[in-house]
Structure formats: structure tokens, C-alpha cells
Amino acid sequence: MTTAPVKDLYPTRGTTEVSVPRQDPVVWGSPDTPGPISAAGLQGFERDGFLAVDQLITPDEVEVYKRELDRLVGDPAIRADERSIVEPKSKEIRSVFEVHRISEAFANLVRDPRVVGRARQILGSDVYVHQSRINVKPGFGASGFYWHSDFETWHAEDGLPNMRTVSVSIALTENFDTNGGLMIMPGSHRTFLGCAGATPKDNYKKSLQMQDAGTPSDEALTALAGEHGIRLFTGKAGSATWFDCNCMHGSGDNITPFPRSNVFIVFNSVENKAVEPFAAPVRRPTFIGARDFTPVR
């Protein structure tokens, strides 16, 4: 018996760029569902597509995770692992993926009620980790990441059918307004921008260093920024930003002396399991787009 193909609600990677209104809820859970996020916080997430938390983890916990980040980045075996992404110019580690599987400390963070509890509230179901990584943005030249919607990539290349995925970026160093912080266009999560151009095979090997396929046009970005504006996120170590999978976001280069490091976790609903990619010849590796849909417990 064959399974009927899942309808593609968000066409992308075709011959032309297309704009499609969001077909899915933003907050899937009930407003009165108990959890760490207040009703006002959920309303703000619905409206803006993001939620900033001034202190998600304590200063003592920050130190634990910073030491673990340093240990992983300094481990030659981790550097040689395919899950490590290296800066093209400096040859320093930029990201290490699947950290919740290679580090007990980060596995515990994923299971922390302050973290997974918020994901369950927003997505209205049990959740699993679609992706996790630590990002290292050292001073003096660490490159940024161009404007993009994560969902566009996860839909096209990983096969996530619906916008029922949420990310959290937890700062392990202070985020200034000068050291390459996260920028989001508030409200952009309500419009899906399908990008032009086919997906090359093994696109992930290039895209994790510098985005190419899945990049919006200058005209589309200008229109979105004109409509929604741009919010730059700053905050002390331990602060966090939750954001919807379809937010248009990016970050600039860090040419300051001040490093910027964070741990990034993507939660997907167990009711939104990945199928075959909608606009790519092959699946990405499972350390980038998980195929283990076991709920976080």
C-alpha cells in the first residue's frame, strides 16, 4: 500500500520567486494551556513571530554551557567530525551540529522545562529536536548569515510539510548591537517567500557556510523590510530569542573584538514529521534534519 503524497502548501525553488500567504497557525496551542509563556507573551509571538526572554538560564548555567562549548570546539575529534562547520577564511569552527546527541550537558538543556515547555506551548503538541547546534562567532571577522526563512530550507530540503516548528537561540555571550547579532523582520512570518532556482545536490555543504539556494531577491527583501521593519536582538548571556520557523532573519559579520556564541535548538511538532524533500533531489544528513521523531522527555 502506497502513501498518498503530502500536499505542497509552499512551493519554492522554481523558475520564479513567489509569495504565498501563510496557510498555518502561528501559535498551535490553546491560550490557556499552562506553561512558562504568559498569555500576553503568546499574543506577542502570534503578532511578531518572536519572543525575547531576558534570562532563560542563570549566570551559573551560562558558565556550564560556555565551558562545554569551549570543550567541543577545542576537541580535535569534534573538529574532524562532519557535524562541524568551519569558517571558509579563518578555518575556525563556526558551528557544531547535533550537540544534544554528543553532549550530555546540551541534552539536559533540551529537556529543561523552561526550554521544551515553551516549545510545547507554541506548537500545541509533543515535540522532537529537528536540529541543534552551537554557533561560534569569534571577534575580528566571523562572517554573518544572509537573510532567509528557515522554513523555506526545511520545507524544500528536509521535507517539513507545515509551519509547526520553532527555534530558540540562547546567548552564551553578551549580544551587543555591534557583534553580529540576530536580526528579524517582525511580522514577516505571515508571508512565505518561495525562492527562485533549483536546489543543487549536496547543497548543504555550501549553504551552511554561505547561503545561496533559498536566498530571497533584493526586491523581495526591500519590500518585506519596508512593510515590517527590522529588529536587532541584544541581551546579556543567558537571554534567549524564540522565533517562528518562517521569520525572515539574518545576521551581520562580527568585526568587533567581542565574540558572540549561542546554542540553537529547533523543535518540531511530532504531528509535523518530515517527509521527502519538496524541492531538493536528496535528503540532507540527519544531523542537520532529523529523522528520529522521538518526543523530548
Side-chain angles (χ1 to χ4, degrees):
M1 180 178 176
T2 59
T3 303
V6 177
K7 184 178 180 181
D8 185 358
L9 298 175
Y10 303 103
T12 189
R13 311 282 174 100
T15 55
T16 60
E17 193 172 58
V18 295
S19 179
V20 178
R22 186 187 185 106
Q23 306 294 304
D24 294 305
V26 178
V27 174
W28 293 73
S30 170
D32 56 4
T33 301
I37 307 176
S38 67
L42 286 174
Q43 290 172 356
F45 188 89
E46 174 91 31
R47 178 188 66 244
D48 299 326
F50 58 78
L51 173 68
V53 180
D54 288 339
Q55 187 182 74
L56 183 67
I57 58 175
T58 67
D60 287 345
E61 290 171 313
V62 168
E63 291 305 312
V64 170
Y65 296 121
K66 280 178 65 177
R67 287 196 297 270
E68 182 67 353
L69 180 148
D70 291 341
R71 183 187 72 80
L72 292 173
V73 171
D75 185 339
I78 296 294
R79 182 184 178 86
D81 193 290
E82 65 174 346
R83 289 173 288 194
S84 293
I85 308 302
V86 176
E87 281 278 358
K89 293 181 180 179
S90 69
K91 304 303 180 185
E92 294 183 5
I93 287 182
R94 174 190 181 120
S95 301
V96 179
F97 280 79
E98 216 170 38
V99 289
H100 71 294
R101 293 194 180 277
I102 61 178
S103 163
E104 185 60 31
F106 287 118
N108 290 335
L109 180 62
V110 164
R111 294 191 291 263
D112 191 307
R114 294 168 296 179
V115 177
V116 70
R118 284 178 166 86
R120 291 184 185 126
Q121 261 187 292
I122 292 169
L123 301 181
S125 69
D126 278 334
V127 298
Y128 70 92
V129 176
H130 177 70
Q131 185 185 104
S132 73
R133 66 179 187 261
I134 48 173
N135 293 324
V136 184
K137 217 171 194 181
F140 299 120
S143 56
F145 215 87
Y146 199 67
W147 291 104
H148 64 286
S149 154
D150 286 331
F151 179 76
E152 192 278 336
T153 297
W154 299 337
H155 182 70
E157 300 186 38
D158 296 337
L160 295 192
N162 296 97
M163 295 179 183
R164 199 169 180 178
T165 314
V166 66
S167 301
V168 60
S169 175
I170 305 172
L172 299 183
T173 53
E174 185 162 357
N175 284 240
F176 301 103
D177 58 4
T178 53
N179 65 341
L182 174 68
M183 297 181 288
I184 295 178
M185 298 183 188
S188 59
H189 62 302
R190 295 193 172 278
T191 302
F192 175 75
L193 191 64
C195 299
T199 309
K201 187 179 180 182
D202 291 339
N203 178 57
Y204 77 94
K205 293 180 180 179
K206 181 179 179 183
S207 68
L208 295 178
Q209 293 180 329
M210 186 61 66
Q211 187 85 352
D212 188 8
T215 301
S217 68
D218 291 353
E219 293 78 11
L221 290 171
T222 299
L224 281 173
E227 180 180 358
H228 300 294
I230 296 173
R231 166 82 182 269
L232 170 66
F233 290 87
T234 60
K236 299 286 187 182
S239 63
T241 305
W242 292 83
F243 57 103
D244 179 82
C245 58
N246 191 47
C247 282
M248 190 61 66
H249 66 288
S251 64
D253 295 350
N254 182 13
I255 61 171
T256 75
F258 310 115
R260 176 180 170 262
S261 298
N262 70 299
V263 54
F264 182 77
I265 306 164
V266 180
F267 293 100
N268 189 39
S269 169
V270 295
E271 298 172 14
N272 189 43
K273 296 173 184 176
V275 294
E276 291 305 309
F278 286 90
V282 295
R283 299 176 180 181
R284 297 197 298 176
T286 56
F287 68 84
I288 300 174
R291 294 281 162 173
D292 179 351
F293 310 129
T294 305
V296 175
R297 298 290 187 215

